[in-house]
Amino acid sequence: MRTLAKYIFFLVIVLGLFGCESIIDYDLPPSDPKLVLNCYFTNDSIWKVDIFKSKSIMESGDFEFVPGAQVEISNQNGTVYPLTYIGVGEYISLENAIPQIGANYTVKATRLNFEDITATAAMPSKVEIISIDTASVQNNGYPEQESKITFLDPANEKNYYSLKLNFDQVTVFQYDSLL
Amino acid sequence: MKKLIFAFIVLVNCLNLSAQKFTISGYLSDGETGEKLIGASIYSKQTLLGTTTNVYGFFSLTLPADTYNIMFSYVGYASQNLKINLLQNEQINLELSSSIQLKTFEVTATQAEQIQERSQMSSIEIPMKSVTIIPSLLGERDILKVIQLLPGVQSGGEGTSGLYVRGGGPDQNLILLDGVPVYNASHLFGFFSVFNNDAINNVELIKGGFPASYGGRLSSVIDIRMKEGNQKEWHGTGSVGLVSSKLTVEGPLIKDKTSLIVSGRRTYIDLLARPIIKQQARKNGTDAVAGYYFYDINAKINHKFSDKSRLFLSTYIGKDRAYATFEDEYNYDNTRFVSKSESDLGWGNVTAAMRWNQVISKKVFSNTTFTYSKYQFGVGEVLDDETFEPDTSYGELFEYSYNSSIEDFTGKIDFDIIPNPNHYIRVGLGDIYHTFRPGVNAFRNEIGNNQNDVDTSFGAAKIFAHELFAYAEDDIKIGSRLKVNVGLHFSGFISHNTSYFSFQPRISGRFAINDNLSIKASYAEMAQFIHLLSNATIGLPTDLWVPSTDKVKPQNSQQVALGMAQTVRSKFEISVEGYYKTMQNLIEYKEGASFFSVGQNWDNQIEFGQGNSYGAELLVQKKEGKTTGWIGYTLSWTNREFENLNFGNPYPYKYDRRHDISFVLVHQLNENIDMGVTWVYGTGNAVTLATSRFPSANSSNKENFFSYFQDVQYFESRNDFRMPSYHRLDIGINFKKERKWGERTWSFGAYNAYSRQNPFYLFFENTGNQTVLKQVSLFPIIPFATYSFKF
């Protein structure tokens, strides 16, 4: 689709010949900053979340970390893991709690002067790799390495897969696809 | 349905039973060109009975045996008064003379059917004579842009020819060129419309109170009738402008029997720019050809077999194409590398129509039509890299193309039945056979060794569908004050896995308070079986026409309107209307989806919702005299509501426009100089702007250095911000001069005369320690000059 993009670009350039820019007023509806919580969890690391403060679209500069929040993770059985602030916006589990595959976790954060936030997520099961085959092939006289990876895709659910290949000195390939 | 037909036949027969009545019927045409006059008035003053000509210039008036003074009149033409002793059926084919040609005569204000007399409301006839005087962008006269100047109609973005009628989308306009629907009416990404006004005879816009004969779209009908060609002698018109040049030739193949009109237009910027591009590219060691053009051709043949039978063949072919070819070649170490790339983007319409008019009896007129319409869009790219070594050569070829199209074959038959002056009945039926190709991708890749070659195509399968319709309507006069148009439009959509049927009642009427003032009201239901998938804010050709399927229901609308029409001092037509419209099963792309991702499952990528629009419109129009023009004002509200968009909350439509004003003035200074001024004002478009921002989840992943600073913008609500208001003044002046060979006109003018910086789009920009909102404006003052000629 590069072609179309090219033409749209071409069009924008043509219009740009006429076009001109000017600054206009933006009367933002007044809104207080909100808590922003980001968390990746895997079953090989302890719980760790980041908490920031959102900024108005008109404010520039880096995001501010939010210390002093009360943050806790709970699973569907009602077990609660409190998290503790360790600086640079990070809250971690000092009990060294590790997330489990398949469990439903809810994270909750409260802090004075902010609205409470909660979110729920679960970790999908590990992708079962059935086989990895590699072969050397020739392409126009140049050697190429070909890899074939077979893995098990659960039949009844839709998943995004990201394939990341690390070779010794070579770069990383990534590819996303919905199966 | 059977009952309905039976009742209808009984009705017609009853109306015919009254004794000793005779019919005056025939055609009205322009005395100079033989061009048919549409909507001209035929009127008997003593009985206050009359009729109007239909779109083929045919009329029929049945009156009791007596002697009458019948007045034949049409706007801009000298009226003719005939004394008719009606003792038998009379056939009268009359030619009226254009008042402009009659400089020595005192031409009194002649009127066609006055606005307050018509039962039809929410309908405006575009004065074609003004279209050539109203100034326009780059001097390119454009009928759709004149329609944008009417109340109830909004333009999309700056300079574009999209139409948004009473809160409807651009896909909800039935744009008919000689009765054939045109699917994409834009050239150059919407900056110009595909209609060449040199070939147009008559244009009518209907925004509500739709007569039952029209169907298939929710919001408007734009009925464009091409000229039929001069019946008397050969003539031509043409012009040379900044954007394009055009030429129209018309004349009789057989005098007063067969006429032909051919009209063509092409842009030539690409031809002028080609050597410059080539030269520039050479400097960089590349061979390059690139450009953009559009062209269109209209042609029509009209043959009169007899006074009762006529045949028309008409066609329109138009295309836009952007192309670029680059070729690079270099040598290194006894090896020659050649790299070629070709890209192509094109879209266009082809329409064709064959129509046969037959006057079956003095009171029955029939029209049989077969039409073809196709809209096609395609984009393609070829990359070819070849390497020549001293003893061997190899290469890689990559080809990609994407195509989408919609194609229609239509057959229909319509009857006009005029049993007496109190009834005007229209009935008809037809079928449209649609073929949809919503998007096919084709890939080809040759790498030299056959093993890895790819040659494949994928995308949505063709969908075939029948759209059937039948209608009946009667324009009924009840007493001297009340006139009602009652009708029913039936339509059905049948494709392989689904079918939908719809009965749409239509009623409109007027009640005359006095000779000059009437009150009007209407109710119309509409159904639309085809949808336009569009995620662009300008009229990009990538917009995709898709059918109703089992998942995608037809769009429906209901509209009620109430208004008043008045003629003041036989000069000013004033109409005020209020309307309320609801729409269901509107479609929008899901958040994040676009045409790039539309494959087999396009119907999984859309959301369904509803909309409403309400408002009031005022139009004051002056059609006669040295100074003509109009003032239009629209006050309106338009909203959309989708379950899965904007958290299910209603939000303003992008083209929700609280105030919209247009002022059009056309003035004839003297015989040779006329001028036009337009001024428009509109509330700014509704846009969605972010209100706050927060760090993305990736920012927390501090190991990934590159995504550390990624922001996510937070949007509070759809279309919750208003762009600055839009206003613009255009001026133009035409100097005509008679020459030995005919007449030439120099036109000068300016678009956006006071160079208002109107917003085209908005964006945020971070200037170090501050973020500001900026607007991009498209056109400052753009002057134009056009040379045109007539012979």
Side-chain angles (χ1 to χ4, degrees):
Chain A
M1 281 295 51
R2 284 187 301 156
T3 316
L4 185 74
K6 211 188 281 176
Y7 284 116
I8 292 171
F9 177 72
F10 169 75
L11 176 74
V12 170
I13 295 289
V14 169
L15 299 178
L17 293 177
F18 297 113
C20 72
E21 286 178 9
S22 54
I23 295 174
I24 60 167
D25 292 334
Y26 183 23
D27 298 324
L28 257 180
S31 67
D32 297 325
K34 291 184 172 71
L35 286 184
V36 180
L37 186 148
N38 286 326
C39 172
Y40 275 114
F41 56 102
T42 57
N43 63 342
D44 56 8
S45 319
I46 58 162
W47 283 105
K48 180 177 85 78
V49 307
D50 289 280
I51 298 190
F52 302 85
K53 206 161 95 175
S54 73
K55 273 180 135 53
S56 152
I57 193 75
M58 304 300 276
E59 280 178 89
S60 44
D62 292 336
F63 293 103
E64 289 169 39
F65 307 125
V66 180
Q70 206 179 356
V71 187
E72 57 183 42
I73 307 269
S74 56
N75 65 14
Q76 70 261 49
N77 303 326
T79 316
V80 176
Y81 309 97
L83 304 188
T84 309
Y85 188 66
I86 57 156
V88 288
E90 284 180 11
Y91 291 76
I92 62 163
S93 163
L94 293 179
E95 299 162 15
N96 292 338
I98 287 175
Q100 302 297 312
I101 288 169
N104 252 320
Y105 291 102
T106 300
V107 61
K108 188 176 177 198
T110 48
R111 193 184 185 277
L112 193 67
N113 299 331
F114 287 96
E115 272 178 53
D116 294 359
I117 50 172
T118 60
T120 300
M123 204 188 323
S125 54
K126 199 173 169 181
V127 177
E128 193 187 328
I129 293 174
I130 298 166
S131 67
I132 301 174
D133 296 325
T134 52
S136 290
V137 292
Q138 294 280 318
N139 180 15
N140 287 327
Y142 297 104
E144 275 186 1
Q145 189 79 12
E146 209 175 71
S147 295
K148 196 172 179 183
I149 297 161
T150 314
F151 61 87
L152 199 68
D153 173 44
N156 301 323
E157 54 186 75
K158 279 194 170 176
N159 285 309
Y160 281 98
Y161 290 96
S162 171
L163 184 66
K164 207 166 174 179
L165 302 174
N166 289 301
F167 294 94
D168 280 347
Q169 307 126 354
V170 195
T171 32
V172 176
F173 294 87
Q174 265 185 304
Y175 188 67
D176 283 3
S177 182
L178 180 66
L179 291 175
Chain B
M1 192 69 195
K2 269 185 188 165
K3 272 185 193 164
L4 197 79
I5 294 169
F6 178 72
F8 174 73
I9 292 168
V10 169
L11 179 78
V12 172
N13 282 331
C14 289
L15 299 169
N16 276 328
L17 285 177
S18 27
Q20 278 306 305
K21 284 187 172 180
F22 297 105
T23 304
I24 309 163
S25 64
Y27 287 90
L28 277 192
S29 53
D30 179 313
E32 201 192 345
T33 64
E35 215 48 70
K36 293 287 168 288
L37 301 178
I38 299 171
S41 163
I42 297 95
Y43 186 67
S44 147
K45 272 225 161 130
Q46 73 234 58
T47 60
L48 302 174
L49 293 171
T51 187
T52 51
T53 54
N54 70 8
V55 290
Y56 306 101
F58 176 79
F59 70 93
S60 167
L61 180 63
T62 303
L63 297 168
D66 203 344
T67 305
Y68 296 95
N69 275 313
I70 306 280
M71 174 86 97
F72 297 83
S73 57
Y74 189 59
V75 178
Y77 287 77
S79 302
Q80 282 204 29
N81 210 336
L82 291 189
K83 194 171 182 181
I84 297 168
N85 197 3
L86 194 62
L87 296 172
Q88 58 180 12
N89 288 333
E90 296 281 350
Q91 182 164 341
I92 295 173
N93 294 333
L94 202 64
E95 293 178 341
L96 299 185
S97 300
S98 167
S99 52
I100 294 162
Q101 307 300 321
L102 300 171
K103 287 165 193 157
T104 51
F105 283 74
E106 176 70 25
V107 179
T108 52
T110 56
Q111 292 291 343
E113 188 179 32
Q114 287 186 319
I115 185 171
Q116 73 276 7
E117 289 165 8
R118 305 178 66 187
S119 60
Q120 168 78 53
M121 69 184 299
S122 313
S123 133
I124 305 166
E125 204 154 297
I126 318 301
M128 283 309 291
K129 282 196 174 126
S130 306
V131 173
T132 54
I133 306 171
I134 292 171
S136 53
L137 176 62
L138 293 162
E140 204 65 21
R141 316 282 187 211
D142 194 329
I143 186 71
L144 294 191
K145 292 206 184 137
V146 174
I147 290 175
Q148 288 174 348
L149 298 171
L150 297 168
V153 185
Q154 258 106 65
S155 61
E158 168 82 89
T160 60
S161 58
L163 300 175
Y164 299 81
V165 182
R166 288 187 173 172
D171 58 325
Q172 296 174 354
N173 304 313
L174 180 62
I175 302 179
L176 294 171
L177 180 63
D178 262 357
V180 191
V182 175
Y183 283 101
N184 186 320
S186 66
H187 277 314
L188 189 60
F189 306 98
F191 288 109
F192 303 105
S193 87
V194 300
F195 304 109
N196 176 348
N197 63 292
D198 283 351
I200 298 171
N201 179 22
N202 186 278
V203 179
E204 190 183 10
L205 165 76
I206 306 173
K207 304 176 283 186
F210 300 96
S213 46
Y214 295 108
R217 300 287 191 284
L218 297 192
S219 290
S220 81
V221 176
I222 295 156
D223 196 348
I224 301 171
R225 298 281 160 179
M226 274 170 69
K227 282 181 184 167
E228 288 170 9
N230 198 314
Q231 294 269 11
K232 313 278 180 193
E233 51 195 1
W234 284 91
H235 282 286
T237 53
S239 66
V240 182
L242 296 173
V243 177
S244 73
S245 283
K246 53 190 177 181
L247 180 68
T248 303
V249 178
E250 56 179 316
L253 293 175
I254 304 165
K255 204 180 171 198
D256 285 326
K257 243 191 154 83
T258 310
S259 62
L260 169 75
I261 178 166
V262 181
S263 191
R265 165 168 75 155
R266 195 193 189 279
T267 58
Y268 40 77
I269 288 170
D270 62 319
L271 301 178
L272 301 178
R274 194 179 281 181
I276 302 167
I277 292 172
K278 224 172 176 139
Q279 202 185 354
Q280 285 298 321
R282 281 244 170 84
K283 280 186 193 163
N284 301 324
T286 309
D287 202 11
V289 182
Y292 169 86
Y293 66 85
F294 70 76
Y295 69 84
D296 46 48
I297 300 163
N298 288 285
K300 187 167 179 178
I301 293 181
N302 156 36
H303 177 70
K304 188 164 107 179
F305 292 106
S306 70
D307 278 341
K308 289 187 170 172
S309 181
R310 278 156 206 265
L311 185 76
F312 305 86
L313 297 172
S314 59
T315 184
Y316 164 84
I317 299 164
K319 192 171 179 184
D320 280 62
R321 185 168 170 242
Y323 57 94
T325 313
F326 298 96
E327 199 171 329
D328 263 323
E329 194 181 316
Y330 66 96
N331 292 292
Y332 177 75
D333 197 16
N334 281 337
T335 308
R336 191 158 62 93
F337 300 92
V338 180
S339 154
K340 224 194 274 184
S341 92
E342 276 176 44
S343 2
D344 213 306
L345 169 77
W347 72 95
N349 295 281
V350 175
T351 74
M354 188 186 87
R355 276 178 303 129
W356 173 47
N357 285 177
Q358 175 73 36
V359 180
I360 294 173
S361 78
K362 302 275 170 202
K363 297 175 181 176
V364 182
F365 177 91
S366 79
N367 177 43
T368 312
T369 316
F370 294 97
T371 69
Y372 171 80
S373 181
K374 182 174 187 178
Y375 169 68
Q376 188 164 254
F377 163 73
V379 54
E381 178 149 30
V382 181
L383 297 172
D384 190 3
D385 290 317
E386 286 191 83
T387 308
F388 298 94
E389 285 174 7
D391 47 352
T392 175
S393 73
Y394 47 88
E396 176 167 359
L397 175 78
F398 171 80
E399 260 188 71
Y400 169 75
S401 72
Y402 170 90
N403 284 290
S404 72
S405 67
I406 178 169
E407 190 176 26
D408 284 0
F409 288 94
T410 306
K412 65 171 185 158
I413 184 158
D414 308 278
F415 295 96
D416 283 18
I417 303 161
I418 312 128
N420 62 48
N422 292 329
H423 290 272
Y424 197 118
I425 298 160
R426 291 179 181 91
V427 289
L429 54 91
D431 178 31
I432 305 169
Y433 180 62
H434 296 288
T435 306
F436 298 89
R437 280 207 328 174
V440 175
N441 296 276
F443 274 109
R444 198 155 77 91
N445 195 3
E446 287 172 14
I447 317 173
N449 59 341
N450 297 328
Q451 194 188 346
N452 291 324
D453 284 359
V454 180
D455 190 353
T456 178
S457 68
F458 59 90
K462 274 190 191 179
I463 301 171
F464 304 98
H466 281 280
E467 189 176 337
L468 311 162
F469 58 90
Y471 66 87
E473 61 166 274
D474 188 5
D475 216 24
I476 310 165
K477 232 179 246 169
I478 305 163
S480 59
R481 288 178 183 274
L482 188 63
K483 198 169 168 188
V484 189
N485 185 303
V486 191
L488 184 69
H489 186 96
F490 158 80
S491 57
F493 188 81
I494 303 164
S495 73
H496 70 288
N497 63 356
T498 183
S499 56
Y500 294 102
F501 298 97
S502 149
F503 285 94
Q504 302 145 38
R506 315 275 176 83
I507 182 162
S508 63
R510 69 112 168 100
F511 180 79
I513 292 179
N514 59 41
D515 275 359
N516 294 321
L517 175 66
S518 69
I519 294 172
K520 296 185 178 191
S522 71
Y523 175 76
E525 288 185 12
M526 304 293 276
Q528 177 167 345
F529 301 106
I530 58 172
H531 310 256
L532 188 69
L533 270 175
S534 167
N535 65 345
T537 50
I538 51 174
L540 279 185
T542 50
D543 294 353
L544 210 62
W545 284 100
V546 291
S548 292
T549 65
D550 48 346
K551 281 186 203 141
V552 184
K553 305 264 182 300
Q555 308 178 55
N556 295 307
S557 76
Q558 302 77 33
Q559 189 187 158
V560 57
L562 185 68
M564 183 209 92
Q566 186 174 17
T567 300
V568 178
R569 287 191 284 155
S570 1
K571 273 185 186 164
F572 297 97
E573 281 187 3
I574 301 170
S575 74
V576 184
E577 285 187 17
Y579 71 93
Y580 185 85
K581 177 158 97 174
T582 49
M583 295 169 275
Q584 299 85 36
N585 300 326
L586 302 175
I587 63 168
E588 284 275 358
Y589 271 117
K590 277 192 172 141
E591 295 281 11
S594 80
F595 106 103
F596 294 115
S597 52
V598 172
Q600 277 136 330
N601 301 319
W602 58 267
D603 53 358
N604 284 332
Q605 310 228 22
I606 48 184
E607 298 285 354
F608 304 94
Q610 51 188 349
N612 67 26
S613 181
Y614 49 93
E617 295 161 7
L618 166 75
L619 178 66
V620 180
Q621 195 175 7
K622 186 171 179 289
K623 288 179 169 175
E624 294 276 336
K626 279 193 168 172
T627 307
T628 58
W630 66 84
I631 296 167
Y633 171 69
T634 312
L635 172 72
S636 65
W637 286 262
T638 303
N639 298 299
R640 294 286 190 264
E641 190 175 349
F642 284 70
E643 201 187 332
N644 295 319
L645 298 179
N646 200 38
F647 314 107
N649 299 319
Y651 60 90
Y653 187 48
K654 186 175 165 65
Y655 301 101
D656 169 39
R657 202 161 291 176
R658 200 70 64 245
H659 305 284
D660 190 272
I661 301 168
S662 50
F663 172 80
V664 177
L665 180 93
V666 170
H667 182 67
Q668 184 107 28
L669 286 170
N670 61 39
E671 265 175 39
N672 294 321
I673 304 173
D674 52 40
M675 54 178 285
V677 177
T678 59
W679 184 74
V680 291
Y681 171 89
T683 305
N685 284 346
V687 288
T688 311
L689 288 185
T691 52
S692 58
R693 61 192 184 93
F694 56 85
S696 75
N698 273 340
S699 322
S700 315
N701 183 3
K702 291 172 189 122
E703 295 147 28
N704 190 342
F705 177 77
F706 292 105
S707 59
Y708 185 71
F709 297 106
Q710 275 179 3
D711 276 17
V712 176
Q713 296 192 337
Y714 179 75
F715 297 87
E716 200 91 31
S717 173
R718 267 201 177 210
N719 295 342
D720 56 348
F721 183 76
R722 291 286 164 168
M723 284 190 177
S725 57
Y726 183 100
H727 51 93
R728 195 188 78 225
L729 176 80
D730 303 340
I731 49 172
I733 189 160
N734 300 307
F735 300 95
K736 283 181 201 152
K737 200 164 199 178
E738 296 288 335
R739 295 279 176 191
K740 261 183 259 164
W741 44 264
E743 184 188 275
R744 69 108 181 104
T745 306
W746 271 107
S747 307
F748 303 98
Y751 177 88
N752 198 5
Y754 55 81
S755 209
R756 153 86 179 169
Q757 291 191 7
N758 283 307
F760 185 59
Y761 66 86
L762 307 181
F763 68 99
F764 289 108
E765 192 173 77
N766 196 331
T767 57
N769 50 5
Q770 197 195 350
T771 303
V772 289
L773 182 61
K774 281 193 163 182
Q775 72 166 24
V776 172
S777 315
L778 220 48
F779 301 121
I781 181 169
I782 309 258
F784 67 84
T786 307
Y787 175 83
S788 43
F789 52 88
K790 238 188 221 178
F791 55 86

